Amino acid sequence: MNLHEYQGKEILSSFGVGIQRGIVAQTPDEAVAAAKELTEKTGTSWYVVKAQVHAGGRGKGGGVKLAKNLDEVKSISDDIIGMMLVTPQTSAEGKLVNQVLIAEDVYYPGESETEEFYVSVLLDRATGKNMVMYSPEGGMDIEQVAEKTPELIFTEEIDPGTGLLPFQARNIAFNLGLSGAAFKEMTKFVMALYKAYESSDSAMFEINPVLKTSDNKILAVDAKVSLDENALYRHKDYLDYRDIREEHPTEVEAKAAGLNYVALDGNVGCMVNGAGLAMGTMDLIKQAGGEPANFLDVGGTADAKRVEIAFRIILKDPNVKAILVNIFGGIVRCDRVAQGVVDAYKNMGDSINVPIIVRLQGTNAVEAKALIDAEEGLNVISATEFQEAAEKVQEVLA
Ligand code: GDP
Ligand code: MN
């Protein structure tokens, strides 16, 4: 589950990680009130207005702007709230901005230059261990750094038994080119950051930039936090962080119905039980010359009701030209699924306007096929073998 910057910073701060402080606002008036409150709390006289959407690269798209007084806070917030923000990480139409974070300006001049670093914590799938990935060249062009000067990206592998050790934190601060007070602050920062990552059961932390201020503080200016959904039951207090406005509407609906659905951009809808078979089915569709329009795992209980919901969800996608139902009847009997398909089809009347290829294999597969073949007037084609199903998909697409 992805979080907004302000939510990620709340988690960081609760574990003692230094952050650029801010207050979230839904309207320009709230933004002004937030700015006033922020000045009382922090003494800041300049502010940064930051669009809160689940996408990076906001600065490049005009979603992060400096405001030097309350009038500017108001006019900039007015511009940003409600805009379709296009960044290198969004689609061409962009993402609607519902809220902004009014943050303190932390790039104030002082005894030394400010410096921007990149620090992330994530699982290294090759080693099965967490790692800290970091670079002295943080800021808005980190992708280019990774591409052109990969030697400037460092990693520190973490032993799961010991966690991040102090010598590793010192190594990071050293490789970032820090010394003196800033060095010490950075070691504290990364130790706290790793603690926050582990304790919150996060899947990824990406802090870019981590800022060394002109008075040698180390702060998270940005926070991209992704929580591990499978561990959310241990963090009930994070459940409220879900912002469904940021998610694909059909995926939200599917989740509410207990279906595991991911939208894709192909033309063949699929309805499958079991994630492994769903992946195999997607391969099959590709082999048959189609492109899967979605991943959909209906789970173990493929009854008429669930099948109907699944059909409705698949058919919301106007690109779908055919639907392949591929169910293995182990615990669930194929004839019950077949009956479910037939009932759902009849219930939905005219709304199913594409051919459906049904492949049922396993317990009572023969009865299931007979049941479907006996129905007349339905645009449902039955198949028993995987290959046969692929050929039928090919035929209807041709
Ligand atoms: P992103 O573009 O979505 O990654 O958003 P960030 O939160 O990283 O902000 C983008 C850029 O805005 C940063 O890289 C900074 O250069 C700049 N920025 C952020 N906070 C401040 C601030 O307090 N003062 C100034 N002057 N610039 C800031
Ligand atoms: Mn950033």
Side-chain angles (χ1 to χ4, degrees):
M1 177 170 107
N2 293 331
L3 302 190
H4 286 296
E5 173 194 359
Y6 80 94
Q7 297 167 331
K9 282 176 165 174
E10 271 173 25
I11 294 180
L12 296 185
S13 182
S14 73
F15 287 95
V17 180
I19 57 161
Q20 173 199 43
R21 292 164 293 181
I23 299 169
V24 74
Q26 319 288 328
T27 64
D29 286 334
E30 271 183 43
V32 172
K36 286 182 186 158
E37 191 183 332
L38 201 60
T39 294
E40 275 170 34
K41 276 194 185 146
T42 68
T44 191
S45 50
W46 287 3
Y47 313 91
V48 202
V49 182
K50 312 182 82 176
Q52 298 297 289
V53 289
H54 287 187
R58 296 163 301 164
K60 285 196 169 143
V64 177
K65 292 218 162 109
L66 189 66
K68 298 186 178 173
N69 54 54
L70 294 177
D71 285 342
E72 287 184 11
V73 168
K74 184 152 183 172
S75 64
I76 294 170
S77 301
D78 200 27
D79 289 344
I80 293 182
I81 296 171
M83 85 187 279
M84 292 297 287
L85 179 62
V86 179
T87 85
Q89 295 182 19
T90 65
S91 65
E93 69 211 66
K95 288 203 103 170
L96 176 66
V97 182
N98 294 302
Q99 49 191 356
V100 289
L101 180 65
I102 306 301
E104 59 178 331
D105 169 39
V106 285
Y107 287 63
Y108 46 81
E111 63 200 49
S112 64
E113 291 291 313
T114 58
E115 282 180 69
E116 291 184 324
F117 307 112
Y118 172 93
V119 182
S120 62
V121 190
L122 70 164
L123 178 68
D124 178 354
R125 291 185 187 276
T127 62
K129 292 176 186 174
N130 287 321
M131 64 175 167
V132 178
M133 189 184 280
Y134 61 102
S135 173
E137 297 293 318
M140 296 207 275
D141 293 314
I142 189 68
E143 281 82 8
Q144 278 190 19
V145 175
E147 203 175 299
K148 295 195 176 127
T149 48
E151 67 278 8
L152 293 177
I153 310 271
F154 298 87
T155 57
E156 196 69 48
E157 180 180 296
I158 296 158
D159 186 303
T162 58
L164 183 71
L165 292 167
F167 86 87
Q168 295 183 294
R170 289 196 293 273
N171 195 32
I172 293 170
F174 179 80
N175 283 334
L176 291 175
L178 295 170
S179 59
F183 179 96
K184 252 179 116 171
E185 287 300 310
M186 182 58 86
T187 60
K188 278 197 245 168
F189 181 93
V190 291
M191 290 300 285
L193 189 71
Y194 187 70
K195 174 100 183 96
Y197 169 84
E198 215 178 21
S199 309
S200 60
D201 286 314
S202 281
M204 190 202 58
F205 271 13
E206 186 180 57
I207 316 298
N208 184 34
V210 171
L211 183 75
K212 183 198 79 67
T213 63
S214 60
D215 51 355
N216 294 321
K217 292 196 194 90
I218 302 294
L219 302 176
V221 166
D222 193 4
K224 198 175 199 181
V225 168
S226 178
L227 300 174
D228 179 355
E229 295 205 18
N230 296 312
L232 266 181
Y233 73 97
R234 304 208 290 195
H235 304 279
K236 300 267 186 309
D237 46 331
Y238 296 161
L239 289 175
D240 289 343
Y241 282 151
R242 163 154 271 134
D243 185 349
I244 58 166
R245 294 174 299 187
E246 299 288 328
E247 296 175 16
H248 194 289
T250 315
E251 292 183 9
V252 171
E253 192 186 338
K255 183 173 249 162
L259 301 170
N260 201 348
Y261 171 91
V262 181
L264 301 168
D265 28 290
N267 53 0
V268 183
C270 22
M271 187 190 310
V272 189
N273 66 337
L277 186 59
M279 307 271 265
T281 304
M282 288 161 67
D283 284 349
L284 180 81
I285 289 170
K286 279 210 156 211
Q287 228 177 10
E291 284 287 333
N294 65 275
F295 170 98
L296 196 160
D297 174 8
V298 286
T301 49
D303 54 25
K305 189 139 203 293
R306 277 172 90 84
V307 170
E308 184 176 332
I309 295 172
F311 274 137
R312 287 191 194 282
I313 284 171
I314 292 173
L315 287 167
K316 284 207 170 157
D317 179 351
N319 295 328
V320 169
K321 298 284 173 285
I323 298 177
L324 174 57
V325 179
N326 192 5
I327 304 275
F328 177 75
I331 294 167
V332 53
R333 284 167 23 213
C334 291
D335 53 330
R336 285 201 54 190
V337 178
Q339 192 62 52
V341 171
V342 170
D343 291 350
Y345 203 107
K346 287 182 176 163
N347 271 341
M348 291 176 68
D350 295 340
S351 53
I352 300 186
N353 48 10
V354 298
I356 300 176
I357 296 96
V358 181
R359 181 214 176 220
L360 294 160
Q361 190 55 277
T363 311
N364 289 2
V366 177
E367 288 85 341
K369 188 169 178 356
L371 210 151
I372 287 176
D373 290 345
E375 287 292 333
E376 278 176 31
L378 305 187
N379 199 356
V380 180
I381 303 154
S382 69
T384 324
E385 299 302 324
F386 224 52
Q387 193 53 40
E388 188 190 351
E391 279 158 17
K392 291 191 164 153
V393 169
Q394 216 162 7
E395 275 167 34
V396 301
L397 287 180

